[in-house]
Amino acid sequence: MPYPEYICAPMRQELTAVGFEELKSPEAVDQAIPNSQGTTLLVLNSVCGCAAGTARPGVKLALNHGKKPSKLLTVFAGQDLEATAQARKYTVPYPPSSPSIALFKDGKLVHFIERHHIEGRSAEMIAEHLQQAFEEFC
């Protein structure tokens, strides 16, 4: 059962306010990821505490870096169920986890941050991790 929109709306807005495009259907995911040019950051958003406390703040901090992805996308696990399931097909071989963060280059997965790399880490640590990936791939 998906989470109610009134719970998720502020969590969605944290990312859309800084330029993320929400993907709410499997079709939108299929149009956005596999044929993308340049670098694409996909945040698999979540209602959990590590998403609120470190993942979303860390992503926002990382975007203040000199190099950053040309496209910013997000799906919301626990609410946009079909879109999230479709997005996870592009993050194989990693098991489903949320929150998680994927970086694609020309439609191919090049870097992935799983939930267990988010839990227990500060927003600054996540931002630094992402900035290193941006330096390498963007």
Side-chain angles (χ1 to χ4, degrees):
M1 185 105 191
Y3 291 105
E5 178 59 25
Y6 73 89
I7 291 174
C8 300
M11 298 172 205
R12 290 175 180 279
Q13 291 169 354
E14 280 187 67
L15 294 177
T16 59
V18 295
F20 279 81
E21 174 190 348
E22 289 187 288
L23 304 175
K24 294 189 165 209
S25 71
E27 296 79 18
V29 171
D30 287 340
Q31 289 176 349
I33 294 175
N35 300 314
S36 62
Q37 297 298 308
T39 51
T40 300
L41 186 68
L42 173 68
V43 175
L44 289 98
N45 203 352
S46 173
V47 299
C48 72
C50 59
T54 61
R56 289 189 301 268
V59 166
K60 293 189 307 187
L61 279 172
L63 295 176
N64 293 326
H65 191 258
K67 287 188 177 182
K68 58 187 172 187
S70 51
K71 193 175 202 180
L72 305 173
L73 305 173
T74 184
V75 294
F76 206 104
Q79 192 174 49
D80 300 326
L81 306 179
E82 293 175 353
T84 301
Q86 191 65 19
R88 286 179 171 153
K89 290 180 181 179
Y90 295 104
T91 63
V92 170
Y94 298 96
S97 68
S98 55
S100 57
I101 306 164
L103 184 63
F104 298 88
K105 185 164 187 168
D106 297 329
K108 305 286 186 245
L109 182 66
V110 293
H111 192 78
F112 192 69
I113 301 174
E114 298 177 80
R115 179 186 177 113
H116 71 268
H117 292 125
I118 294 170
E119 292 175 311
R121 289 173 177 78
S122 68
E124 292 78 14
M125 291 170 76
I126 292 165
E128 184 177 322
H129 184 152
L130 282 169
Q131 289 167 348
Q132 289 173 0
F134 296 169
E135 279 295 323
E136 184 176 348
F137 297 108
C138 294

